Amino acid sequence: MFQGSLELAYQFIKIASIVIVVVLAFALLMKARLIYIKKKKDSFMAKHESYFQYLQCDSDDASVLKKPPGRLSRLELEVIQGKLGEWIDRLKGGHQEKLIALSEELGLVDANMRRLGSKFGWRRVTAAYHLGMLRAKDAAPVLLELARNEKNTVNFLVFARAAALCMDKASDLKQLMERFAHGNKPAYSLAADVYTRSPAADSNLLEEMLRSKDIRMVKLAVHCLKGQAYAHLAPNLLKLIDHPDRELRMLAAEAYLHSSPELAQGVVSKLINHEDEEIRALTARAIGELGNAAYIETLKHAMADSSWTVRRNSAVSLAMFEEKGFAVLCEVAIHGKDPFSKDMASDVIWEERMKERVMSGDASGAATFRNKQGNAGINGSDRLDQKQVM
């Protein structure tokens, strides 16, 4: 019985050894193949260097770009495709259109369109990526359909991004955004990134989405507005700040506060006195980021807010206004009637003092601090107790 078990162990070791050798041989073969392909691509880059220079120098000419001379191998086309995709992604206007036309003339779009019908998912994904980089308008309907039917999240994102880059119709982009919004877990930030990169992105479409009865589409639209200068959509955002949904309220408030550096004083006052403390805190922070000194008095009043976060954000924003804001902080710390606002002002003053000591050394930091106190009009007995700020 022992002899039989030993024989079985020997057989297992032999089989395991063979499997390991085969796996290692396959890995070495794949590595050798990748090295070979890289060397070939590098040689093709060198071979077509003068052609790439021609494409860069001739981009201002109104004439059609010429194809490279001679018959091109598959690897050569891949190298040229990579370069064209890189330039098309960076350029705009006429330069971009000429490169797109060249990619179509070279048959790159047709080749990738054929690969979209492959039974292998990785080939479809690769083809979609290249079609997006090449801005192949004819591929937009196919890519949209692939994105709408794709279940795998990673593949869906590739198809969606490629489709958005190829689209030139707002109606198609709206369908894509609906697919994002109605997914199992709506990825609003990713959807907004896809939206903003699309040539079909349009403020009219955003306005339509903001007026939608579907709250997920509204949230997506607000995400798309982040960092975008659409002042005419500000009234739509203002209406959403009182929405029952907390997430939407916060998104709308943040987008509105950053929609323009010049916000109406009445609206800012309304937001800083909003019943939702998170919106009040967000407003206090945004005032400092906007850097508009007209709202200093608003921040001073917000220092007496019942919420610690609002007081904190108001004090930090006041510190961003340098001497003017510092004067208000000193005034609140010394003459304020509310003990909580006085403590907050003192804390922020102390933090600013520590920052100066780190940045410029103790002696110079102390001098700067004394100068700020002097410029703020605080002298003699009114000066902050050194223990309070040190």
Side-chain angles (χ1 to χ4, degrees):
M1 182 176 178
F2 177 76
Q3 185 69 27
S5 299
L6 191 61
E7 192 69 30
L8 185 63
Y10 283 144
Q11 291 296 327
F12 175 78
I13 292 172
K14 287 180 182 178
I15 294 171
S17 300
I18 292 171
V19 170
I20 291 171
V21 169
V22 170
V23 170
L24 286 174
F26 179 75
L28 290 172
L29 183 64
M30 290 300 295
K31 185 176 181 180
R33 181 176 179 274
L34 290 173
I35 292 172
Y36 170 78
I37 291 174
K38 185 179 184 305
K39 287 183 177 178
K40 290 291 289 182
K41 286 187 175 182
D42 289 343
S43 68
F44 290 144
M45 285 289 290
K47 175 184 176 181
H48 294 289
E49 184 178 358
S50 58
Y51 179 69
F52 293 141
Q53 290 177 353
Y54 152 73
L55 292 180
Q56 290 176 303
C57 295
D58 201 47
S59 58
D60 291 326
D61 197 327
S63 61
V64 177
L65 294 173
K66 298 177 182 178
K67 295 193 293 184
R71 185 180 179 84
L72 300 173
S73 68
R74 182 179 61 83
L75 273 180
E76 283 179 293
L77 283 172
E78 284 184 14
V79 169
I80 294 172
Q81 177 176 258
K83 271 293 182 184
L84 291 179
E86 179 186 332
W87 289 337
I88 288 171
D89 198 47
R90 289 202 315 240
L91 300 173
K92 301 293 179 185
H95 298 177
Q96 186 189 61
E97 290 173 6
K98 289 174 66 175
L99 292 171
I100 292 172
L102 176 62
S103 69
E104 293 175 352
E105 193 177 350
L106 286 170
L108 299 175
V109 173
D110 290 338
N112 283 300
M113 287 289 286
R114 288 193 296 271
R115 292 190 188 104
L116 281 181
S118 172
K119 62 181 179 180
F120 299 108
W122 64 269
R123 294 196 71 185
R124 294 197 300 271
V125 169
T126 304
Y129 169 80
H130 288 304
L131 286 168
M133 293 295 286
L134 297 174
R135 305 299 194 272
K137 294 181 181 179
D138 293 341
V142 181
L143 290 169
L144 176 60
E145 192 62 28
L146 284 170
R148 292 175 65 179
N149 297 324
E150 183 59 50
K151 303 299 181 185
N152 182 284
T153 304
V154 176
N155 292 354
F156 162 70
L157 289 174
V158 176
F159 290 142
R161 179 183 177 277
L165 290 172
C166 296
M167 288 174 180
D168 57 0
K169 296 179 181 177
S171 57
D172 289 341
L173 186 56
K174 182 183 178 183
Q175 290 183 50
L176 184 61
M177 292 299 104
E178 287 173 344
R179 171 63 177 82
F180 266 106
H182 297 116
N184 292 331
K185 294 181 179 179
Y188 296 120
S189 296
L190 289 172
D193 181 63
V194 168
Y195 176 91
T196 53
R197 286 178 58 81
S198 175
D202 176 82
S203 62
N204 293 328
L205 174 57
L206 281 179
E207 186 172 9
E208 182 182 346
M209 290 167 64
L210 284 171
R211 293 176 176 174
S212 172
K213 294 181 179 179
D214 185 343
I215 191 171
R216 288 170 293 186
M217 287 294 285
V218 178
K219 287 181 180 179
L220 202 158
V222 177
H223 271 281
C224 292
L225 279 170
K226 287 183 178 179
Q228 303 295 318
Y230 293 126
H232 66 287
L233 295 179
N236 300 77
L237 293 171
L238 198 57
K239 293 177 183 177
L240 295 172
I241 291 173
D242 294 320
H243 197 278
D245 186 271
R246 174 192 167 277
E247 182 186 4
L248 184 53
R249 283 200 310 270
M250 296 299 297
L251 287 170
E254 185 175 5
Y256 177 82
L257 288 166
H258 292 89
S259 63
S260 171
E262 299 293 335
L263 299 173
Q265 183 73 44
V267 176
V268 174
S269 297
K270 175 187 175 184
L271 294 179
I272 204 72
N273 292 297
H274 198 277
E275 61 181 10
D276 188 331
E277 75 171 71
E278 290 182 287
I279 290 181
R280 298 199 304 273
L282 187 65
T283 305
R285 187 184 70 193
I287 290 174
E289 293 171 351
L290 291 171
N292 192 331
Y295 304 126
I296 287 180
E297 196 63 27
T298 303
L299 290 173
K300 179 182 175 182
H301 289 302
M303 286 289 296
D305 196 278
S306 59
S307 166
W308 182 92
T309 309
V310 176
R311 295 196 302 272
R312 171 71 184 174
N313 287 359
S314 299
V316 171
S317 289
L318 280 170
M320 293 181 184
F321 291 102
E322 299 181 346
E323 290 183 4
K324 290 183 179 179
F326 193 82
V328 174
L329 282 174
C330 291
E331 182 184 344
V332 173
I334 296 172
H335 303 297
K337 296 180 180 179
D338 179 54
F340 297 110
S341 60
K342 290 179 71 172
D343 287 344
M344 183 60 72
S346 297
D347 288 344
V348 171
I349 291 171
W350 181 83
E351 289 171 12
E352 290 297 307
R353 174 72 178 95
M354 291 301 102
K355 288 179 186 177
E356 289 173 354
R357 293 181 68 176
V358 170
M359 295 296 293
S360 55
D362 189 22
S364 59
T368 305
F369 180 68
R370 286 194 295 270
N371 289 337
K372 283 186 175 180
Q373 285 183 318
N375 291 333
I378 301 171
N379 300 298
S381 60
D382 287 338
R383 185 159 295 185
L384 286 172
D385 190 283
Q386 193 71 0
K387 293 180 181 178
Q388 189 177 16
V389 296
M390 287 299 290

